Coordinates of all heavy atoms in Angstrom, one line a residue:
R1 N 21.3 -3.4 -7.1 CA 21.9 -3.6 -8.4 C 21.1 -2.9 -9.5 O 20.8 -3.5 -10.6 CB 22.0 -5.1 -8.7 CG 23.0 -5.7 -7.8 CD 23.3 -7.1 -8.2 NE 24.3 -7.7 -7.3 CZ 24.8 -8.9 -7.5 NH1 24.3 -9.7 -8.4 NH2 25.7 -9.4 -6.6
G2 N 20.6 -1.7 -9.2 CA 19.9 -0.9 -10.2 C 18.4 -1.2 -10.4 O 17.7 -0.6 -11.2
K3 N 17.9 -2.2 -9.7 CA 16.5 -2.5 -9.7 C 15.8 -2.1 -8.5 O 16.3 -2.3 -7.4 CB 16.3 -4.0 -10.0 CG 16.8 -4.5 -11.4 CD 16.5 -5.9 -11.6 CE 16.9 -6.2 -13.1 NZ 16.5 -7.6 -13.4
S4 N 14.6 -1.6 -8.6 CA 13.8 -1.2 -7.5 C 12.9 -2.3 -7.0 O 12.3 -3.0 -7.9 CB 13.0 0.0 -7.9 OG 12.2 0.4 -6.8
F5 N 12.9 -2.6 -5.7 CA 11.9 -3.5 -5.2 C 11.4 -3.1 -3.9 O 12.0 -2.3 -3.2 CB 12.5 -4.9 -5.1 CG 13.7 -5.0 -4.1 CD1 13.5 -5.5 -2.9 CD2 15.0 -4.7 -4.5 CE1 14.5 -5.6 -2.0 CE2 16.0 -4.7 -3.6 CZ 15.8 -5.2 -2.3
S6 N 10.2 -3.6 -3.5 CA 9.5 -3.2 -2.3 C 9.6 -4.2 -1.2 O 9.5 -5.4 -1.5 CB 8.0 -3.0 -2.6 OG 7.3 -2.6 -1.5
V7 N 10.0 -3.8 0.0 CA 10.0 -4.6 1.2 C 8.8 -4.2 2.0 O 8.8 -3.1 2.6 CB 11.3 -4.4 1.9 CG1 11.3 -5.3 3.2 CG2 12.5 -4.7 1.1
D8 N 7.8 -5.1 2.0 CA 6.5 -4.6 2.7 C 6.4 -5.2 4.2 O 5.5 -4.7 4.9 CB 5.3 -5.0 1.9 CG 5.2 -6.5 1.7 OD1 6.1 -7.2 2.0 OD2 4.1 -6.9 1.1
L9 N 7.3 -6.1 4.6 CA 7.2 -6.6 5.9 C 8.6 -6.2 6.6 O 9.6 -6.9 6.3 CB 7.0 -8.1 6.0 CG 5.6 -8.5 5.5 CD1 5.4 -10.0 5.5 CD2 4.5 -7.9 6.3
L10 N 8.6 -5.3 7.5 CA 9.8 -4.8 8.1 C 10.1 -5.5 9.4 O 9.2 -5.9 10.1 CB 9.7 -3.3 8.3 CG 9.5 -2.4 7.1 CD1 9.2 -1.0 7.5 CD2 10.6 -2.6 6.1
P11 N 11.4 -5.8 9.7 CA 11.7 -6.4 11.0 C 11.4 -5.5 12.2 O 11.7 -4.3 12.2 CB 13.2 -6.7 10.9 CG 13.7 -5.7 9.9 CD 12.5 -5.4 8.9
K12 N 10.7 -6.0 13.2 CA 10.4 -5.3 14.4 C 10.6 -6.2 15.6 O 10.8 -7.4 15.4 CB 8.9 -4.9 14.4 CG 8.5 -3.9 13.3 CD 9.0 -2.6 13.5 CE 8.6 -1.7 12.4 NZ 9.1 -0.3 12.5
I13 N 10.5 -5.7 16.8 CA 10.6 -6.5 18.0 C 9.3 -6.3 18.8 O 8.8 -5.2 18.9 CB 11.8 -6.0 18.9 CG1 13.1 -6.1 18.1 CG2 11.8 -6.6 20.2 CD1 13.6 -7.6 17.9
K14 N 8.8 -7.4 19.3 CA 7.6 -7.4 20.1 C 8.0 -7.8 21.6 O 8.6 -8.8 21.8 CB 6.6 -8.4 19.6 CG 5.3 -8.4 20.4 CD 4.4 -9.4 19.7 CE 3.0 -9.5 20.4 NZ 2.1 -10.5 19.8
I15 N 7.7 -6.9 22.5 CA 8.0 -7.1 23.9 C 6.6 -7.2 24.6 O 5.7 -6.4 24.4 CB 8.7 -5.9 24.5 CG1 10.0 -5.6 23.7 CG2 9.0 -6.2 26.0 CD1 10.7 -4.4 24.1
E16 N 6.5 -8.3 25.4 CA 5.2 -8.6 26.1 C 5.6 -8.7 27.6 O 6.5 -9.3 27.9 CB 4.6 -9.9 25.6 CG 4.2 -9.9 24.2 CD 3.7 -11.2 23.7 OE1 2.5 -11.5 23.9 OE2 4.6 -12.0 23.2
M17 N 4.7 -8.1 28.4 CA 4.9 -8.2 29.9 C 3.5 -8.0 30.5 O 2.6 -7.4 30.0 CB 5.9 -7.2 30.4 CG 5.4 -5.8 30.3 SD 6.8 -4.6 29.9 CE 7.0 -4.8 28.2
V18 N 3.4 -8.6 31.7 CA 2.2 -8.4 32.5 C 2.6 -7.6 33.8 O 3.6 -7.9 34.4 CB 1.6 -9.8 32.9 CG1 0.4 -9.6 33.8 CG2 1.2 -10.5 31.7
V19 N 1.8 -6.5 34.0 CA 2.1 -5.6 35.2 C 0.8 -5.3 35.9 O -0.3 -5.5 35.4 CB 2.8 -4.3 34.7 CG1 4.1 -4.6 33.9 CG2 1.9 -3.5 33.8
D20 N 1.0 -4.8 37.1 CA -0.1 -4.3 37.9 C -0.7 -3.1 37.2 O 0.0 -2.4 36.5 CB 0.3 -3.9 39.3 CG 0.6 -5.0 40.2 OD1 -0.1 -6.1 40.1 OD2 1.5 -4.9 41.1
E21 N -2.0 -2.9 37.4 CA -2.7 -1.8 36.7 C -2.1 -0.4 37.1 O -2.0 0.5 36.3 CB -4.2 -1.7 37.1 CG -5.0 -2.7 36.2 CD -6.5 -2.4 36.4 OE1 -7.0 -1.3 36.2 OE2 -7.2 -3.4 36.7
K22 N -1.6 -0.3 38.3 CA -1.0 0.9 38.8 C 0.3 1.3 38.1 O 0.7 2.4 38.1 CB -0.8 0.9 40.3 CG 0.2 -0.1 40.8 CD 0.4 0.0 42.3 CE 1.3 -1.1 42.9 NZ 2.6 -1.2 42.3
D23 N 0.9 0.2 37.5 CA 2.2 0.4 36.8 C 2.1 0.7 35.3 O 3.2 0.9 34.7 CB 3.1 -0.8 37.1 CG 3.4 -0.9 38.6 OD1 3.5 0.1 39.3 OD2 3.6 -2.1 39.0
V24 N 1.0 0.6 34.8 CA 0.8 0.7 33.3 C 1.4 2.0 32.7 O 2.1 2.0 31.8 CB -0.7 0.5 32.9 CG1 -0.9 0.9 31.4 CG2 -1.1 -0.9 33.1
D25 N 1.0 3.1 33.3 CA 1.5 4.4 32.8 C 3.0 4.5 32.9 O 3.7 5.0 32.0 CB 0.9 5.6 33.6 CG -0.6 5.8 33.2 OD1 -1.0 5.3 32.1 OD2 -1.3 6.4 33.9
T26 N 3.6 4.1 34.0 CA 5.0 4.1 34.2 C 5.7 3.3 33.1 O 6.7 3.7 32.5 CB 5.4 3.6 35.6 OG1 4.7 4.3 36.6 CG2 6.9 3.7 35.9
V27 N 5.2 2.1 32.9 CA 5.9 1.2 31.9 C 5.7 1.7 30.5 O 6.7 1.8 29.7 CB 5.3 -0.3 32.0 CG1 5.8 -1.1 30.9 CG2 5.6 -0.9 33.4
T28 N 4.5 2.1 30.1 CA 4.3 2.7 28.8 C 5.1 3.9 28.5 O 5.6 4.1 27.4 CB 2.8 2.9 28.5 OG1 2.2 3.7 29.4 CG2 2.0 1.5 28.4
N29 N 5.2 4.8 29.5 CA 6.0 6.0 29.4 C 7.5 5.7 29.2 O 8.2 6.3 28.4 CB 5.8 7.0 30.6 CG 4.4 7.6 30.6 OD1 3.8 7.7 29.5 ND2 4.0 8.0 31.7
A30 N 7.9 4.7 30.0 CA 9.4 4.3 29.8 C 9.7 3.8 28.4 O 10.7 4.1 27.8 CB 9.7 3.2 30.9
I31 N 8.8 3.0 27.9 CA 9.0 2.5 26.5 C 8.9 3.6 25.5 O 9.8 3.7 24.7 CB 7.9 1.4 26.2 CG1 8.1 0.2 27.1 CG2 8.0 1.0 24.7 CD1 6.9 -0.8 27.0
T32 N 7.9 4.4 25.6 CA 7.7 5.5 24.7 C 8.9 6.5 24.7 O 9.4 6.9 23.6 CB 6.4 6.3 25.0 OG1 5.3 5.4 25.0 CG2 6.2 7.4 24.0
D33 N 9.4 6.9 25.9 CA 10.5 7.8 26.0 C 11.7 7.3 25.3 O 12.4 8.1 24.7 CB 10.8 8.1 27.4 CG 9.7 8.9 28.1 OD1 8.8 9.5 27.4 OD2 9.7 9.0 29.4
V34 N 12.0 6.0 25.4 CA 13.2 5.5 24.9 C 13.1 5.1 23.4 O 14.0 5.2 22.6 CB 13.7 4.3 25.7 CG1 14.9 3.6 25.1 CG2 14.0 4.7 27.1
A35 N 11.9 4.6 23.0 CA 11.7 4.0 21.6 C 11.4 5.1 20.6 O 11.5 4.8 19.4 CB 10.7 2.9 21.7
R36 N 11.0 6.3 21.0 CA 10.5 7.3 20.1 C 11.7 7.9 19.3 O 12.7 8.4 19.9 CB 9.8 8.4 20.8 CG 9.3 9.5 19.9 CD 8.6 10.6 20.6 NE 7.4 10.2 21.1 CZ 7.0 10.4 22.4 NH1 7.8 11.1 23.2 NH2 5.8 10.0 22.8

């Protein structure tokens, strides 16, 4: 309505999971490839 205001906290999603050490690169690459 013609007035400028700042939104300093943006909505995001936090995904948490526990995986084997051998799967870390696979999981992080999958997230990065799709979310970028």
Side-chain angles (χ1 to χ4, degrees):
R1 293 188 178 181
K3 292 188 178 185
S4 177
F5 63 97
S6 179
V7 178
D8 60 352
L9 296 176
L10 301 174
K12 299 286 182 180
I13 298 293
K14 181 179 182 179
I15 304 172
E16 300 173 85
M17 67 215 80
V18 176
V19 300
D20 286 326
E21 278 191 54
K22 65 179 177 52
D23 297 327
V24 170
D25 287 340
T26 304
V27 172
T28 56
N29 289 338
I31 295 168
T32 303
D33 291 345
V34 176
R36 179 184 291 133

